Amino acid sequence: MANKILVTGGAGYIGSHTVLQLLLGGYQVVVVDNLDNSSDVSIKRVQEIAGNNGSNLVFHKMDLRDKPALEKIFDSTKFDAVIHFAGLKAVGESVKKPLLYFNNNLIGTIYLLEVMASHGCKKLVFSSSATVYGWPKEVPCTEEFPLSAANPYGRTKLFLEEICRDLYNSDSGWKIMLLRYFNPVGAHPSGKIGEDPRGIPNNLMPFVQQVAVGRQPALTIYGTDYVTKDGTGVRDYIHVVDLADGHIAALNKLSDPSVGCEVYNLGTGEGTSVLNMVAAFEKASGKKIPLVFAGRRGGDAEIVYASTAKAEKELKWKAKYGIEEMCKDQWNWASKNPYGYESPENGHH
Ligand code: NAD
Ligand code: WQD
């Protein structure tokens, strides 16, 4: 029988791409998502792309903090593992509304862990973030670096990592993969699924994409005085399909008897400046991105990129795509869905 996986937050950006790779890999998938920051159109698109395997996907619109509803799902289905993406992720919003972030991210996860434990499902893959490295003293970031949080969002990731480590220390029956994503960008090459943030995008590539389709007049570059080759911040951008494949590798690793509570960076190991990324997008799209140069954004680090050695060695996973493919696929998605899942051509306006 095929492995059954519960995916929380599976309608979202990284979740939808991962659900697709799971379906294509022959898994049975149950998604729970409250659609707070996503659309169920992504679920339908994933089913379309997955073809015959699309019918192996079941969706429940549900908040993780509705514990009785979560219990019901676990009562009716025996899951081999859970991939937990559901959470709020906007750094700026978390500074303004810390309780919202603590309530959603911490309580949602604690309920999930409690329900998993009471149903004897103790295999978890969790979305952590490179944000737990704060402003790293050196690069590349290895998994052993000291951890810190620069904002409430980052603090939820740090707390949740610690909660998982404590849980494992209390019961070695748990097997947990804490995956620290660097900067996920791009979209599935079909152009049918991609990132569709609500409101004005906080992150670089969704903003660039909205400038390219005429929804924003110009990109503001935050900081031109960093000690980098062109003065702009350097990050490790990773194609979302590579990231999704990293989750399949992590799931496979969960069946290794030696696994306890483990942490892995998912990045490419390459650092790219903001200006390099914009240039790559202009080349891929043929669109000029007007720029406004501004001061640094509070809380931003100068240079962040991953050491990928541990994931390569232990998960046997390595990112395949570079920034050209990331930008090409980002533009393919943007040009086909300029207003995301709500684009007029999708019958939503
Ligand atoms: P996303 O917002 O597109 O997806 C998250 C999904 O979770 C959304 O569909 C949202 O509706 C759902 N959700 C939120 N709270 C929920 C709740 N209480 N109950 C049920 N569903 C809920 O974000 P994403 O970019 O796909 O991120 C997925 C995960 O990866 C998040 O935990 C995020 O913090 C983490 N992460 C993201 C990035 C990034 O840059 N995108 C980087 C590092 C880590
Ligand atoms: C990338 C670079 C900006 C927007 C954030 C979270 C992190 C993780 C990934 C979840 C930086 C610059 C950006 C713009 C710009 N998410 N920039 N103009 O800040 O590396 O990481 O997303 O876990 O926790 O903090 O990503 O895409 O916001 O910024 O110049 O309009 O682009 O200064 O150098 P970041 P980002």
Side-chain angles (χ1 to χ4, degrees):
M1 255 221 344
N3 270 338
K4 273 212 168 85
I5 311 294
L6 177 71
V7 181
T8 76
Y13 173 46
I14 306 170
S16 57
H17 288 83
T18 303
V19 168
L20 175 60
Q21 297 308 93
L22 286 168
L23 292 172
L24 296 175
Y27 289 87
Q28 308 247 3
V29 183
V30 174
V31 167
V32 299
D33 197 304
N34 63 6
L35 304 180
D36 239 37
N37 194 40
S38 51
S39 156
D40 60 358
V41 178
S42 72
I43 299 283
K44 297 189 186 87
R45 298 275 182 90
V46 163
Q47 284 176 319
E48 263 172 57
I49 310 169
N52 289 339
N53 292 357
S55 57
N56 293 334
L57 170 57
V58 175
F59 172 60
H60 299 280
K61 180 175 184 312
M62 202 199 85
D63 194 296
L64 271 188
R65 291 162 298 177
D66 182 350
K67 203 174 177 191
L70 194 58
E71 297 266 6
K72 254 195 192 157
I73 289 176
F74 276 83
D75 287 342
S76 65
T77 312
K78 193 168 163 32
F79 295 108
D80 295 286
V82 174
I83 307 183
H84 176 37
F85 293 105
L88 299 174
K89 64 160 183 180
V91 170
E93 184 186 50
S94 81
V95 174
K96 295 198 181 89
K97 301 177 182 171
L99 293 178
L100 175 71
Y101 274 66
F102 293 132
N103 188 312
N104 192 79
N105 293 6
L106 300 185
I107 295 176
T109 305
I110 291 168
Y111 282 179
L112 174 67
L113 294 170
E114 286 174 348
V115 175
M116 287 175 70
S118 66
H119 289 78
C121 172
K122 295 185 180 175
K123 287 184 179 168
L124 175 73
V125 177
F126 174 64
S127 303
S128 188
S129 166
T131 191
V132 299
Y133 295 122
W135 182 314
K137 286 207 181 69
E138 48 179 334
V139 279
C141 301
T142 71
E143 286 82 351
E144 289 73 39
F145 272 24
L147 306 181
S148 66
N151 52 67
Y153 165 72
R155 214 165 332 274
T156 68
K157 293 299 177 194
L158 200 52
F159 285 167
L160 289 168
E161 281 204 6
E162 301 288 16
I163 287 170
C164 288
R165 281 186 272 270
D166 285 340
L167 184 60
Y168 172 72
N169 290 336
S170 76
D171 173 0
S172 60
W174 282 89
K175 289 175 176 289
I176 302 177
M177 295 281 163
L178 305 172
L179 303 182
R180 293 180 183 151
Y181 315 152
F182 282 67
N183 292 58
V185 299
H188 189 264
S190 64
K192 284 178 184 282
I193 55 172
E195 186 166 14
D196 181 21
R198 298 266 152 101
I200 297 169
N202 304 295
N203 298 113
L204 177 65
M205 292 314 282
F207 202 98
V208 167
Q209 161 182 330
Q210 292 202 2
V211 175
V213 299
R215 291 171 66 181
Q216 298 289 343
L219 171 72
T220 302
I221 304 260
Y222 297 132
T224 52
D225 61 347
Y226 287 111
V227 186
T228 60
K229 54 187 185 287
D230 60 25
T232 65
V234 166
R235 294 291 182 274
D236 186 336
Y237 297 94
I238 172 166
H239 197 297
V240 65
V241 174
D242 273 332
L243 189 64
D245 285 336
H247 290 73
I248 313 284
L251 270 187
N252 290 336
K253 182 76 179 172
L254 282 175
S255 49
D256 178 337
S258 70
V259 162
C261 181
E262 316 290 334
V263 47
Y264 293 99
N265 287 339
L266 297 185
T268 64
E270 296 283 328
T272 304
S273 74
V274 179
L275 286 175
N276 282 159
M277 203 60 186
V278 171
F281 185 86
E282 286 183 329
K283 191 162 174 236
S285 64
K287 298 276 176 187
K288 186 92 200 121
I289 304 297
L291 302 178
V292 173
F293 293 93
R296 296 179 180 194
R297 186 171 66 176
D300 272 1
E302 184 158 74
I303 306 181
V304 186
Y305 57 87
S307 162
T308 58
K310 190 177 178 201
E312 279 177 37
K313 183 162 176 267
E314 297 181 16
L315 300 181
K316 317 261 181 293
W317 167 90
K318 187 181 183 343
K320 293 195 282 279
Y321 303 113
I323 59 169
E324 289 73 23
E325 285 109 336
M326 298 177 210
C327 291
K328 176 170 160 264
D329 292 333
Q330 182 103 30
W331 174 241
N332 186 37
W333 153 252
S335 55
K336 288 180 174 150
N337 307 270
Y339 285 81
Y341 292 113
E342 306 294 317
S343 290
E345 45 275 72
N346 301 332
H348 279 271
H349 264 288

